[in-house]
Amino acid sequence: MANKTYTLMHEHLLDTAGELLAVSPFSKLTVKHICEKAEVNRNTFYRHFDDKYELLDVIIQQALHVMANQIDIESFRQQPFTTINKFTFPESLSVLDFQLQDKTFEDQFYNAVFKELTAMASSSDILWLLGNMQVIRIWNASLSTPHSFQKDYALFDEIIREKKFPGID
């Protein structure tokens, strides 16, 4: 019974954090906020997670495991950004769009995504592709007006295919 109680509390904390992420930027979210909303004490939270960053990693890992079971690896090799963009979780998309405006969340999110995708990589060409995707992310972040990963995924796939950044010879 204790194991079931632990699992239920773990899920309750994840669900509560998900609700809060819909209305509060990750950088402003605190363990205290999560505990108050979940109606638990901080010790309960810390029995499940080291901090809010680990909690976010778990949320992202769960979403990626759902995605991994559905991904077509050949499509990913050809159009990685388009393939990832097709994996939208309708209930989470607006939350993701909202949170990606928060630099702390964005960094944590992309680091967790690349960490998980790297762990799932089945060959060195996938690892090189993930590295190229990370370089594109860094290049995009350096622009005065960065492109949207949710809207401009075709541009990013073109950069992968052509091995050339727009406007750079």
Side-chain angles (χ1 to χ4, degrees):
M1 185 63 162
N3 196 20
K4 185 175 183 178
T5 302
Y6 180 89
T7 302
L8 289 172
M9 181 54 68
H10 194 81
E11 290 302 318
H12 176 62
L13 289 167
L14 291 170
D15 291 344
T16 301
E19 291 171 20
L20 288 169
L21 287 171
V23 295
S24 179
F26 181 73
S27 60
K28 305 286 187 217
L29 188 61
T30 65
V31 171
K32 181 180 178 184
H33 292 131
I34 297 166
C35 291
E36 287 173 357
K37 176 81 171 161
E39 298 179 343
V40 300
N41 65 43
R42 293 169 70 93
N43 288 336
T44 300
F45 178 90
Y46 289 117
R47 275 196 293 274
H48 293 268
F49 305 101
D50 290 338
D51 53 28
K52 71 177 191 174
Y53 298 96
E54 182 185 14
L55 178 127
L56 181 60
D57 281 346
V58 171
I59 291 170
I60 294 167
Q61 286 171 1
Q62 288 179 345
L64 288 173
H65 286 289
V66 169
M67 184 180 93
N69 292 328
Q70 301 170 11
I71 197 166
D72 174 8
I73 197 68
E74 196 50 46
S75 293
F76 183 74
R77 280 187 171 105
Q78 299 302 314
Q79 298 180 306
F81 290 99
T82 299
T83 303
I84 289 172
N85 193 65
K86 286 181 182 176
F87 287 101
T88 58
F89 303 93
E91 68 280 354
S92 312
L93 194 54
S94 62
V95 174
L96 185 59
D97 284 339
F98 170 65
Q99 287 297 333
L100 284 172
Q101 296 171 35
D102 179 4
K103 183 70 174 138
T104 303
F105 176 88
E106 180 185 30
D107 289 343
Q108 188 74 13
F109 175 77
Y110 285 114
N111 288 338
V113 167
F114 280 95
K115 179 178 150 189
E116 284 300 305
L117 289 175
T118 300
M120 292 181 211
S122 58
S123 64
S124 63
D125 65 318
I126 296 295
L127 289 174
W128 279 108
L129 181 58
L130 292 171
N132 288 335
M133 292 173 72
Q134 184 73 336
V135 167
I136 289 169
R137 181 177 158 255
I138 293 166
W139 165 80
N140 190 55
S142 74
L143 298 175
S144 58
T145 307
H147 298 279
S148 165
F149 281 95
Q150 289 76 44
K151 297 176 184 157
D152 300 322
Y153 52 88
L155 170 66
F156 300 126
D157 284 337
E158 182 179 331
I159 293 169
I160 293 276
R161 256 189 329 278
E162 302 294 325
K163 295 179 175 59
K164 184 176 184 214
F165 292 99
I168 300 175
D169 293 323

